[in-house]
Structure formats: C-alpha cells, structure tokens
C-alpha cells in the first residue's frame, strides 16, 4: 500500500508560480510512474503531467506544456510539479497518483493509476 500526500497548493496571482510536492510513504516510489491530475469544480479530473519511474520520460497536457515541469527525487520518495506563469484556468484541486502497472510508461488516463493522494487546492486570481 502506498500513501500519497500532496502539499504546496495555495493562492497565487496570475503569472505567478507554485511548486507542488507529493510525498509517499508505505513503499518506495522508485518503481512507479507518477502523474499529476487536476479537477476544477463541475469538471472531470484531467491529466496534467506524468513521469516514468526513472525520470527519463515525461509527458504533459498541451494546456500546461512549457509552463509546468514534473520531476521526481526517488531518494526522497517525492514527486514535484513546478508550475510557472499560472493562469486562472489552472485553478483546481491537484492530485498526484502512482502507477504500479506502467512504471516505464507515461500514462495519461486515470484508470492507469493505482494510488491517489487527497489533493491540494490551487487558486489563481486574475
């Protein structure tokens, strides 16, 4: 069993930056692909970014490409999402997730992930 805890959310002005962290306990994350998703009120959960177990492969949603960066520190059992040039439409609850079944891949669908955190709120003021 893996427990994931997100942190780093908050209120930021448009154009600002935030760095989200996802810390794992229970098992090492080093053999899992990790992803970030987000969900705004009234909308479905959507893919944001993913990184393979080694960190060698990453993939981003078009809406965040060039602004967000996903990274991982397997020694610290933590995954990060650096978010720059934030826009009001980036506001959502952000979730991290771990994929046991596709460690070397960069899965973009929620069904590929086996463990989820509780989420952290990101609010962007215009």
């Amino acid at each position: 069993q893996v427990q994931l805890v997100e942190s780093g959310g908050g209120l930021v002005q448009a154009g600002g930056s935030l760095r989200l962290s996802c810390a794992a306990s229970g098992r090492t994350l080093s053999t899992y692909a990790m992803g970030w998703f987000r969900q705004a009120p009234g909308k479905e959960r959507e893919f944001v970014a993913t990184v393979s177990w080694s960190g060698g492969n990453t993939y981003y949603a078009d809406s965040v490409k060039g602004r967000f960066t996903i990274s991982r520190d397997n020694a610290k059992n933590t995954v990060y999402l650096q978010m720059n040039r934030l826009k009001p439409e980036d506001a959502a609850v952000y979730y991290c997730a771990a994929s046991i079944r596709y460690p070397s891949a960069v899965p973009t669908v929620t069904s590929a992930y086996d463990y989820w955190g509780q989420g952290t709120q990101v609010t962007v003021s215009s």
Side-chain angles (χ1 to χ4, degrees), residues 37 45-47 50 97 99 101-102 106-114 116:
F37 289 75
R45 192 168 298 189
E46 66 173 3
F47 166 74
T50 180
S99 176
R101 290 166 285 152
Y102 308 100
V106 283
T108 62
V109 296
T110 57
S111 59
Y113 291 85
D114 305 285
W116 293 82

Side-chain angles (χ1 to χ4, degrees), residues 1-4 6 22 24-25 27-29 31-37 45 50-51 95-105 107-118:
Q1 193 74 5
V2 174
Q3 290 80 43
L4 303 173
E6 302 94 337
C22 172
S25 61
R27 283 190 179 183
T28 176
L29 288 183
T31 57
Y32 300 164
M34 297 296 297
W36 285 95
F37 289 75
R45 192 168 298 189
T50 180
V51 59
Y95 299 90
C96 74
S99 176
I100 301 174
R101 290 166 285 152
Y102 308 100
S104 300
T108 62
V109 296
T110 57
S111 59
Y113 291 85
D114 305 285
Y115 299 105
W116 293 82
Q118 293 300 306

Side-chain angles (χ1 to χ4, degrees), residues 70-86:
I70 189 171
S71 62
R72 65 190 300 160
D73 185 337
N74 287 339
K76 294 184 177 179
N77 235 21
T78 302
V79 178
Y80 305 97
L81 185 69
Q82 177 67 44
M83 306 187 295
N84 297 329
R85 304 199 311 274
L86 282 159

Side-chain angles (χ1 to χ4, degrees), residues 8-18 20 41 83 86-94 120-126:
L11 172 63
V12 63
Q13 286 189 331
S17 298
L18 282 174
L20 305 183
M83 306 187 295
L86 282 159
K87 304 176 181 179
E89 52 262 43
D90 294 319
V93 177
Y94 282 71
T120 185
Q121 178 72 50
V122 171
T123 303
V124 184
S125 63
S126 57

